[in-house]
Amino acid sequence: MTSYLIDALLVVALVVTALRCGRMHKELRALRQTNLAEALIDAEVSLNRAAEAIVAARHEGVDTVRELERQLVEARRVTAELRGLVARGEPAHAGEADADPYRDFFAAAQDRLHASLAR
C-alpha cells in the first residue's frame, strides 16, 4: 500500500518536472530568438572600453603625479633661493620693491580668519 503512495508521489513529481522543463525550453528558445549572443558581444565591448578608460586614467594620473613632483622640486628650489635673498636683505627683483598687488587683500583675509577663530 505504501509503495503505491510512493509511486503516485514520484509520478506527480515527474509530471511537475516535465512541465517545468517544457516551460524552460520555451524560455530558452525565446532567448535565442532575441539575439542573446549579440547582447553578450555588446556587453563585452562595453567592458573592454571601460577597462581601457581605467588604464588611460591610471596613466594620466601617473603623469600628473610626476609633473606635480617636478613642480614641487622647482618650488622648493625657488623657496630656497628666496630665503637666501631675504637673509641677505636683497629684493628678489631690483625694480620691483612691492610687486605683490594682493598683499593687502590676503592680509585682510588673514585678519578676518583670525577674528573668526577667536570667537
Side-chain angles (χ1 to χ4, degrees):
M1 185 56 101
T2 45
S3 68
Y4 291 128
L5 182 60
I6 293 174
D7 288 343
L9 250 150
L10 288 175
V11 168
V12 169
L14 183 62
V15 169
V16 169
T17 304
L19 291 173
R20 294 292 294 164
C21 284
R23 184 171 179 191
M24 188 172 47
H25 180 67
K26 287 180 186 178
E27 289 177 3
L28 285 173
R29 193 176 333 137
L31 282 175
R32 283 189 196 122
Q33 291 174 355
T34 58
N35 294 331
L36 180 62
E38 185 178 323
L40 290 174
I41 290 171
D42 291 343
E44 181 184 4
V45 168
S46 297
L47 286 173
N48 286 337
R49 284 186 196 151
E52 289 171 2
I54 289 171
V55 169
R58 180 186 171 276
H59 286 295
E60 289 174 4
V62 168
D63 292 343
T64 302
V65 167
R66 287 181 183 153
E67 181 63 28
L68 286 173
E69 287 175 349
R70 279 189 223 112
Q71 289 180 1
L72 185 61
V73 168
E74 176 66 18
R76 285 183 180 154
R77 186 192 62 76
V78 169
T79 301
E81 182 181 328
L82 287 175
R83 281 188 182 147
L85 290 174
V86 167
R88 288 185 295 207
E90 297 176 13
H93 297 286
E96 302 177 20
D98 191 18
D100 190 6
Y102 299 106
R103 183 176 186 173
D104 295 333
F105 172 77
F106 287 123
Q110 186 175 11
D111 292 341
R112 286 193 303 267
L113 176 65
H114 285 292
S116 69
L117 291 175
R119 292 184 205 164

